């Protein structure tokens, strides 16, 4: 991508030189030859840049960023605003999770009052599944530590 960037900079410089040549007019054969040479250099530079764009095939740019730039905005401003929006969305999600947990706890309380045996059985099942997940995590951590010790600290 640095090759592409340097190619684009060179292309912009060639456009500037061509504009200056045209602005000052073409009076004689020397200026005509220089103008033709600059046009050929610009054409060659455009082909080089077009050939280098294959490096950008996997590049993905958000459409909203492109709109922001088209409207004259700065990329840093877009990044900052996107970050702020994601923080706000994250806070909203946390609030929704808290509401669901509060609803779950309230529901379990009311179920325990109405159906104590079934609620106790449900809680035992949940505790058993949570314990199984915890054991799996601990076994995974132990295996990672064992591998790390055998490899001299290279694994993980």
């Amino acid at each position: 991508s640095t090759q592409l960037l340097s190619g684009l900079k060179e292309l912009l410089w060639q456009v500037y030189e061509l504009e200056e040549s045209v602005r000052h007019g073409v009076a004689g054969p020397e200026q005509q030859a220089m103008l033709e040479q600059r046009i050929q250099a610009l054409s060659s530079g455009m082909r080089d840049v077009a050939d280098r764009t294959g490096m950008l095939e996997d590049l993905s740019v958000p459409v909203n960023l492109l709109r922001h730039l088209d409207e004259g905005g700065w990329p840093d401003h877009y990044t900052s605003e996107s970050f702020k929006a994601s923080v706000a969305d994250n806070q909203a999600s946390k609030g929704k999770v808290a509401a669901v947990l509060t609803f779950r706890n309230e529901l379990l309380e009311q179920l325990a009052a109405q159906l104590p045996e079934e609620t106790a059985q449900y809680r035992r099942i949940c505790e058993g599944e949570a314990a199984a997940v915890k054991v799996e995590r601990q076994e995974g951590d132990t295996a990672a530590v064992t591998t790390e010790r055998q490899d001299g600290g290279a694994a993980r």
Side-chain angles (χ1 to χ4, degrees), residues 104 108 118-136:
R104 176 187 173 270
L108 280 175
E118 289 82 355
T119 305
Q121 183 181 5
Y122 170 77
R123 287 187 173 154
R124 281 192 300 275
I125 292 170
C126 289
E127 288 171 4
E129 288 177 2
V133 168
K134 185 176 180 181
V135 168
E136 287 177 14

Side-chain angles (χ1 to χ4, degrees), residues 132-146:
V133 168
K134 185 176 180 181
V135 168
E136 287 177 14
R137 286 183 185 162
Q138 287 176 347
E139 288 174 355
D141 289 345
T142 304
V145 169
T146 303

Side-chain angles (χ1 to χ4, degrees), residues 11-36:
L11 194 63
L12 288 173
W13 181 252
Q14 290 172 352
V15 168
Y16 170 76
E17 287 181 332
L18 187 60
E19 285 178 344
E20 288 299 309
S21 296
V22 170
R23 182 175 296 139
H24 295 310
V26 180
E30 292 174 2
Q31 288 87 6
Q32 181 70 31
M34 185 175 61
L35 184 61
E36 288 176 13

Side-chain angles (χ1 to χ4, degrees), residues 60-70 78:
S60 172
V61 179
V63 174
N64 292 337
L65 172 60
L66 296 175
R67 285 186 188 128
H68 182 76
L69 294 174
D70 284 344
Y78 174 81

Side-chain angles (χ1 to χ4, degrees), residues 16-85:
Y16 170 76
E17 287 181 332
L18 187 60
E19 285 178 344
E20 288 299 309
S21 296
V22 170
R23 182 175 296 139
H24 295 310
V26 180
E30 292 174 2
Q31 288 87 6
Q32 181 70 31
M34 185 175 61
L35 184 61
E36 288 176 13
Q37 181 184 10
R38 287 186 175 167
I39 290 173
Q40 288 177 356
L42 179 63
S43 177
S44 174
M46 292 176 86
R47 277 192 294 275
D48 289 344
V49 168
D51 291 342
R52 293 179 185 165
T53 57
M55 293 183 257
L56 301 177
E57 288 178 2
D58 295 335
L59 183 66
S60 172
V61 179
V63 174
N64 292 337
L65 172 60
L66 296 175
R67 285 186 188 128
H68 182 76
L69 294 174
D70 284 344
E71 293 169 359
W74 290 89
D76 292 343
H77 182 258
Y78 174 81
T79 303
S80 174
E81 292 302 315
S82 296
F83 182 75
K84 288 176 185 175

